[in-house]
Amino acid sequence: QLGLEIERGLELSQFELHYQPKFDLKLGRFSGAEALVRWRHPELGLLSPANFILFAEQSDLITKIDHYVLEKVCMQLDEWRGAGQRLLPVSVNISKRTLFTGNIINHLIKVTDKYNINPMLLEIEIVESPSLQDILLLLSIVKRFKNLKVKIAIDDFGTGYSSLSYIKKIPFDVIKIDKAFLDDVDIDQKARLIIQNIIELAHILDAYVVMEGVQDEKQVKMLRDMGADCIQGFYYSRPLPADQYQHFLEDNLFEIEAKKTTKRGRK
Ligand code: C2E
Ligand code: MG
Ligand code: MG
């Protein structure tokens, strides 16, 4: 029943994307956003991915959702460009099933052509997979994305079984450290040291480090001192509907300081 409803929901465009800004600590400005899917269910209201992604991942439905999301992002970038709005890269979550069986590369070429979107505006987020056998297949897919100039991120880094062997073998551009690592940083020196070391490890591999789930200023300061590149979390903003996200980019307190500095520089 749920499967049929999801399919119908996709046909009726009941799925919408919210965009969560990512703040680049070194540039002092927002450098991109993550697209996160929500289902505007006619009876149940706005449903978060927890309500349907795991279910969808049991079948090819997830591929339909992921393809839909990727096309919607291209459509949205085209719309923002048309309206002369700020265009920052957008990252899209792609499930393993979609990567391995969904012909995602062809779909990406198709939708970037259709909306005339530079693939450099897209980033793909992949959650690590427990099976080592998948590594070779994943590696070949990642290389194809990279040839198209699409960046690849490993999402929820550190939560799987194979993190370390993974990041050495697969040339990820971005490492997103799982928010669980922040859980007890305030009280636990070991928790802080682990984050610090993941950041250093990522930098050894020339990856850009995003810390997800950051909720307060103290954490931002700590992560800046540790050399993290970028922060995503409720501290800056929750995921926002497209129009609110653009308003946020136009008018937010976080970039004011950076703007002041550029103006001073120009004078
Ligand atoms: P994710 O890719 O790790 O996305 C980050 C999640 O953390 C989002 O939850 C976001 O709202 C939440 N988050 C961001 N900042 C904070 C914070 O400061 N504190 C806390 N507690 N949470 C924060 P969301 O939107 O519910 O998405 C959950 C997961 O669903 C995503 O985790 C991703 O794995 C999956 N997902 C979302 N959209 C898609 C999609 O289009 N396709 C696929 N395959 N999966 C998706
Ligand atoms: Mg993600
Ligand atoms: Mg994540």
Side-chain angles (χ1 to χ4, degrees), residues 34-36 91-93 125-127 155-156 176 212 232:
E34 176 173 11
L36 294 154
S91 66
V92 175
N93 295 284
E125 296 193 7
I126 307 171
V127 175
D155 203 356
D156 303 344
K176 297 188 79 173
E212 57 177 34
Q232 178 181 349

Side-chain angles (χ1 to χ4, degrees), residues 67-87:
H67 282 205
Y68 172 102
V69 168
L70 193 56
E71 174 153 15
K72 259 226 137 124
V73 165
C74 291
M75 210 190 281
Q76 186 65 69
L77 286 166
D78 183 30
E79 197 183 306
W80 284 333
R81 178 177 50 199
Q85 278 166 316
R86 194 165 154 192
L87 276 195

